[in-house]
Amino acid sequence: MLKQTHAHRMQLPREVVVGDGTIDEIGALYTRLSLNSPALVVSGPRTYDVAGREVVRSLSEEGVAVFTAIAHEPTLDEVRRIEEIARSKGVGAIVGVGGGSKIDVAKLAASELGVPLISVPTAASHDGISSPFASIKGLNRPYSVRAQAPVGVLVDMDIIAESPPRLAASGCGDVIAKFTAVRDWRLAHERNGEYYGDYAASLALMSARLVARNADRIGSGSREGLRVLMEALISCGVAMSIAGSSRPCSGSEHLFSHALDLIRPGGALHGEQCGVGAIMMAKLHRLKWRKIRGVLAKAGAPVDADGIAATPEQVIEALVTAPRVRPERYTILNETRLDARAAEELARSTGVLR
Ligand SMILES: [Zn+2]
């Protein structure tokens, strides 16, 4: 019998540019990546002013024909609308400019159309900047779906430094979440023989350690701190590309956040909720949860229910229902089935509830 081989596909960005004042380099990057004209620049109403206009200018100066589209909520309808604009203009590539949700819309539209995407984040708020996944509403699930990895990522630290501190604190929570996500992944491997990749896991963990070590600097908004955070977020996206799934970056703490989004949509930022989830899941994993809590506090990220605008009842319900959000994703919550009483005890013992 021939041994069955499993093809493992990794789709990685070809070029990542991170630096001060790099926004004018988008035109040159577009050319280096040999992308076809015209380009479609997708941004939000605010991010167009923050970075979109400069992106259009740089591309035009490079001789690339440019169309623009303003994206709104990250819904499937919005993805279809952008996709239709891109198709009707015959674009060679899409450039997504924004804090996260606009990049998600641009990413899924590009993927559906089969054209490359360049990602230009305007904030360090989550790891979708460079990942092959997109979070879109209207797909009957609160977690991200497979799209494609961007071919290029361009980060202008001048723009990131001007973004609201709350967004960076949230990004910090999304990276710190990797401490528990990687544990959950290993658990799924041990219990169910699920594929586990040491390299992807190590990359996600290294990003979390670097962010933990620089939490003070991120909290104070220093350039160095924000740069560490931005590079960590990009590395986490790459870890997902290498793993071929979101496993290295999304475990039980993300299930808690997704459950909370279903219970009370839009109450807090993704990374804020994942950070609070990580404190509690770390305790279940017998990790140093106090240390995780301390790191989040230093970064200015929320560490309790008030900080993520959730009532005690909502936190408890989210903990109890989290394993049902994504039943195929095995985590510590499958081993420690929390009923309402155990959930409340976990939240109280970690200071999430007082
Ligand atoms: Zn996340």
Side-chain angles (χ1 to χ4, degrees), residues 1 42 44 61 92 157 222 230 291 339:
M1 273 264 290
V42 176
E61 280 173 8
M157 291 309 300
S222 85
M230 200 32 130
K291 206 173 158 193
D339 56 18

Short mmCIF file of all heavy atoms in Angstrom, two decimals, residues 1 42 44 61 92 157 222 230 291 339:
data_model
loop_
_atom_site.label_atom_id
_atom_site.label_comp_id
_atom_site.label_asym_id
_atom_site.label_seq_id
_atom_site.Cartn_x
_atom_site.Cartn_y
_atom_site.Cartn_z
N MET A 1 0.85 -1.22 0.00
CA MET A 1 0.00 0.00 0.00
C MET A 1 0.87 1.25 0.00
O MET A 1 1.82 1.33 0.76
CB MET A 1 -0.88 0.01 1.26
CG MET A 1 -2.18 -0.73 1.07
SD MET A 1 -3.60 0.28 0.64
CE MET A 1 -3.97 1.22 2.09
N VAL A 42 -9.60 50.01 -1.98
CA VAL A 42 -10.78 49.89 -1.12
C VAL A 42 -10.43 50.41 0.26
O VAL A 42 -9.48 49.93 0.89
CB VAL A 42 -11.23 48.41 -1.01
CG1 VAL A 42 -12.40 48.27 -0.04
CG2 VAL A 42 -11.61 47.86 -2.38
N GLY A 44 -12.16 52.78 3.97
CA GLY A 44 -13.37 53.23 4.65
C GLY A 44 -13.51 54.72 4.48
O GLY A 44 -12.59 55.39 4.00
N GLU A 61 1.04 58.25 -9.60
CA GLU A 61 2.38 58.75 -9.97
C GLU A 61 3.24 57.64 -10.58
O GLU A 61 4.12 57.90 -11.39
CB GLU A 61 3.09 59.33 -8.74
CG GLU A 61 2.60 60.74 -8.42
CD GLU A 61 3.15 61.29 -7.11
OE1 GLU A 61 4.03 60.65 -6.50
OE2 GLU A 61 2.67 62.38 -6.72
N GLY A 92 -6.62 44.68 -11.96
CA GLY A 92 -5.52 43.70 -11.88
C GLY A 92 -5.23 43.30 -10.46
O GLY A 92 -4.68 42.21 -10.21
N MET A 157 4.43 53.44 9.69
CA MET A 157 4.36 53.62 11.14
C MET A 157 3.91 55.02 11.54
O MET A 157 3.39 55.21 12.64
CB MET A 157 5.72 53.28 11.80
CG MET A 157 6.10 51.80 11.77
SD MET A 157 4.81 50.65 12.38
CE MET A 157 4.60 51.24 14.06
N SER A 222 4.82 54.20 22.40
CA SER A 222 6.11 54.53 21.78
C SER A 222 6.23 53.87 20.41
O SER A 222 5.65 52.83 20.15
CB SER A 222 7.27 54.06 22.67
OG SER A 222 7.57 52.70 22.42
N MET A 230 3.21 45.65 15.60
CA MET A 230 2.84 45.51 14.20
C MET A 230 3.52 44.30 13.58
O MET A 230 2.90 43.50 12.89
CB MET A 230 3.22 46.80 13.47
CG MET A 230 2.53 47.03 12.18
SD MET A 230 0.85 46.38 12.12
CE MET A 230 -0.08 47.67 11.54
N LYS A 291 0.20 36.63 35.03
CA LYS A 291 1.19 37.29 34.19
C LYS A 291 0.51 37.85 32.92
O LYS A 291 0.78 38.97 32.50
CB LYS A 291 2.28 36.28 33.82
CG LYS A 291 3.60 36.96 33.53
CD LYS A 291 4.70 35.96 33.32
CE LYS A 291 5.81 36.62 32.51
NZ LYS A 291 6.77 35.66 32.00
N ASP A 339 -20.23 24.57 33.48
CA ASP A 339 -21.65 24.93 33.65
C ASP A 339 -21.64 26.36 34.19
O ASP A 339 -20.57 26.95 34.43
CB ASP A 339 -22.39 23.94 34.57
CG ASP A 339 -21.74 23.81 35.94
OD1 ASP A 339 -20.94 24.70 36.31
OD2 ASP A 339 -22.05 22.83 36.64
#
